[in-house]
Amino acid sequence: MRKALMAAVAACALIAASGTGQAQEKLKIGMLATLSGALTSGGEDGVRGAQVALKQRGGKIAGREVEFIIAATDASPDSALRAARKLVEQDKVQLILGPLSGSEGIAMRDYSKTVPNVTVVDASSGALETTYVNPSPNYFRFNSNGAMWMAGLGEYVFKDKGYKKLAVIGEDYSFPYTQVFGFALGYCKAGGQIVQRQWVPLGTKDFGSVIANIPDDVDAVFLGLGGGDSVNFLNQYGQTGGKAKFVGGSIMVDQTVLSSRGAAKRLLVGTPSSGGVADAWDDPKWKAWVKAYQDAFPADKRFASPSLFATNYYNAFNGMATGLEKVNADLSDGGTKLRAELAKVQLDAPNGPIKLDDNRQAIATTFITEVVETANGDLTNKFVKTVPNVSQTLGLTAEAFKAVGLPSRTNPECKP
């Protein structure tokens, strides 16, 4: 699957130049994609999203052919750093699109400070710290972070679903911490209680002891899992005959899970969640993006609808391309003019308007959703409502947000 995907990207990138005369040098863009480990399906779909964006531009930016150079990661910070160094030191790229995962993003933020002539456009990672703590001047993120994707969900779960007491199961790294952080700020303020938090390593195979430890007296379980971990948990939970209701983290109910094989995913029907997309949003721009994605790949080589990762990579590439067009793809000054233009980019994206704050972090729309089964048996996220213009401080003043502290296994607390 990975080899076929990379070959398709290469074919997409090597579109022949039109016109006469000597062709300009290709514009090389290094792409970090998680192509092994628990989040592989997300990385593959992220690449598909970037492919569609490049195809829509005829394979060129500012008249120059684009060549994607893909460097695979496994969602770990070390793998992202190795891949980035290869792109910069061997492939001599000045542009990096990526990474995908939260802790990868924090590592890439720090690395970007050591290569000031390289411009990094985050493709999908969602840790809060990446652009909030010691942000890098050459690092840009056109997607919300994981806490921003939870804006409004806590209140909805407490008031509309009636879930007064929750347990949490999440992967033990920065992105799930950030998701629970954003959820808890709204949920606990509304009056909810989080009575237990269980953290598991990314790539967990056996959830038996975790499932056995879920309290009997909770109204629902918040699942901060993704990719293969999500599927493993659902399969094993289904085998126990458990009847718990769930609240989903953004990638727990993503198409990377809802389009997976097997019946266990149907345990998610009725699950409220929130994130940067709503599969069944009845908006013309969103529907056009879904059609473009579906038309670009055979049905057995994609998901029923573009995942959050595909949409984020699509937007990240378009943000980068918009800035490059403003400077005629000229990076001879080490990208200085490009970075000035990137900071001003505003996208009329398929999942709503996106602009950047002073930390070069997206201000964007969050979607409240619920998982439903369609007439043909597919699972999708039904649109419930939007929370527009979500900022990194989640509506709090800078001082109040800072006082809460950073996401962790235990922060924020959630007591009566």
Side-chain angles (χ1 to χ4, degrees):
M1 178 72 169
R2 175 180 157 190
K3 289 182 179 179
L5 187 64
M6 294 177 75
V9 173
C12 180
L14 297 175
I15 297 172
S18 60
T20 61
Q22 186 174 2
Q24 287 183 293
E25 183 182 357
K26 290 173 186 172
L27 183 64
K28 295 192 295 185
I29 298 176
M31 189 191 306
L32 300 178
T34 303
L35 297 176
S36 64
L39 301 181
T40 297
S41 59
E44 292 173 343
D45 212 39
V47 173
R48 286 191 282 266
Q51 279 185 268
V52 175
L54 177 58
K55 181 179 179 182
Q56 289 178 335
R57 293 174 180 272
K60 298 180 181 181
I61 297 175
R64 292 176 60 181
E65 287 183 67
V66 172
E67 178 184 1
F68 284 145
I69 302 175
I70 296 177
T73 78
D74 62 11
S76 70
D78 287 346
S79 73
L81 291 176
R82 286 193 299 270
R85 291 189 182 108
K86 182 262 182 187
L87 290 171
V88 173
E89 296 168 13
Q90 297 181 30
D91 300 309
K92 307 300 182 183
V93 304
Q94 289 181 267
L95 301 164
I96 293 179
L97 184 70
L100 178 142
S101 186
S103 293
E104 290 182 310
I106 295 172
M108 282 298 298
R109 172 204 63 192
D110 295 340
Y111 173 70
S112 70
K113 295 176 183 179
T114 71
V115 284
N117 290 338
V118 175
T119 301
V120 181
V121 176
D122 193 308
S124 196
S125 79
L128 182 147
E129 294 95 323
T130 306
T131 56
Y132 180 69
V133 179
N134 300 319
S136 170
N138 50 324
Y139 197 101
F140 299 77
R141 183 158 64 178
F142 286 93
N143 60 265
S144 302
N145 67 43
M148 297 163 69
W149 283 330
M150 294 282 100
L153 179 63
E155 295 89 339
Y156 177 75
V157 164
F158 183 83
K159 296 175 183 178
D160 293 71
K161 303 300 289 186
Y163 300 163
K164 311 299 183 185
K165 187 185 295 186
L166 293 181
V168 167
I169 299 172
E171 291 153 331
D172 197 5
Y173 74 105
S174 57
F175 175 68
Y177 301 163
T178 302
Q179 290 252 277
V180 173
F181 176 94
F183 173 80
L185 286 180
Y187 180 70
C188 304
K189 183 178 180 180
Q193 298 180 52
I194 297 176
V195 299
Q196 182 196 67
R197 306 182 200 205
Q198 296 190 78
W199 302 105
V200 302
L202 188 65
T204 292
K205 305 297 183 186
D206 184 359
F207 284 90
S209 61
V210 173
I211 292 169
N213 286 331
I214 297 173
D216 293 329
D217 61 344
V218 293
D219 297 313
V221 180
F222 181 99
L223 298 176
L225 306 171
D229 291 349
S230 301
V231 176
N232 286 338
F233 172 84
L234 292 172
N235 285 334
Q236 292 169 42
Y237 187 79
Q239 290 168 7
T240 71
K243 301 295 183 183
K245 296 177 181 177
F246 300 124
V247 177
S250 299
I251 62 175
M252 181 71 206
V253 300
D254 186 66
Q255 281 297 323
T256 52
V257 177
L258 299 186
S259 292
S260 63
R261 296 178 179 178
K265 63 189 179 183
R266 285 180 167 74
L267 293 171
L268 292 172
V269 172
T271 296
S273 183
S274 60
V277 302
D279 297 334
W281 190 30
D282 191 21
D283 176 88
K285 287 188 177 66
W286 174 254
K287 291 168 74 173
W289 157 230
V290 172
K291 186 177 188 306
Y293 169 87
Q294 292 173 338
D295 289 348
F297 311 100
D300 62 343
K301 302 296 183 183
R302 59 163 171 81
F303 300 126
S305 179
S307 69
L308 178 64
F309 301 108
T311 303
N312 287 343
Y313 270 72
Y314 177 86
N315 289 340
F317 177 84
N318 281 329
M320 177 185 284
T322 300
L324 284 165
E325 287 168 347
K326 293 288 186 180
V327 300
N328 200 32
D330 179 8
L331 302 175
S332 61
D333 62 351
T336 300
K337 294 192 296 290
L338 168 63
R339 290 187 284 275
E341 291 298 334
L342 279 175
K344 297 183 286 186
V345 168
Q346 297 189 27
L347 292 177
D348 188 12
N351 55 333
I354 297 171
K355 61 182 179 180
L356 302 184
D357 66 16
D358 291 341
N359 289 344
R360 297 158 298 283
Q361 163 63 50
I363 299 171
T365 302
T366 294
F367 296 82
I368 309 293
T369 62
E370 288 194 18
V371 177
V372 297
E373 186 170 0
T374 65
N376 66 2
D378 289 340
L379 298 186
T380 191
N381 284 295
K382 178 184 69 174
F383 170 75
V384 176
K385 62 180 178 180
T386 59
V387 184
N389 298 315
V390 178
S391 69
Q392 195 161 31
T393 59
L394 301 174
L396 299 176
T397 65
E399 294 76 14
F401 189 76
K402 184 178 180 180
V404 177
L406 295 175
S408 72
R409 290 179 175 183
T410 58
N411 190 52
E413 293 186 346
C414 187
K415 296 179 178 179

